[in-house]
Amino acid sequence: MAYTTLALLKRYMPENKIMELTDDDGIDEISEEIVNEMIDQAQTIIDSYCRGRYPVDMSDDDVPELIQD
């Protein structure tokens, strides 16, 4: 399970800003492919920091809100 989703990102950032950051093709749409790639990349970074320090399995449905934010 991903630590966040596009829907959660929209709660913290205006859609037009997400579009500006992801619309590499200039079609005035949010690129969900790019958003998902960045979510995966952030998750990998979070996992790498936590893996060696905490015996926490965040792969289930109980991802802490702090991690989602």
Side-chain angles (χ1 to χ4, degrees), residues 13 19 21 27 43-44 52 64 66:
M13 183 181 293
M19 182 181 64
L21 293 169
I27 57 174
Q43 184 165 324
T44 299
L66 180 62

Side-chain angles (χ1 to χ4, degrees), residues 6-47:
L6 178 56
L8 285 171
L9 290 175
K10 288 178 181 180
R11 289 174 42 193
Y12 295 98
M13 183 181 293
E15 286 188 45
N16 65 333
K17 187 64 172 179
I18 299 170
M19 182 181 64
E20 180 183 324
L21 293 169
T22 64
D23 183 23
D24 291 347
D25 296 328
I27 57 174
D28 294 331
E29 291 182 6
I30 294 173
S31 171
E32 290 189 32
E33 180 180 344
I34 292 175
V35 170
N36 290 332
E37 287 175 15
M38 295 299 99
I39 289 171
D40 288 345
Q41 188 174 23
Q43 184 165 324
T44 299
I45 292 169
I46 292 167
D47 286 349

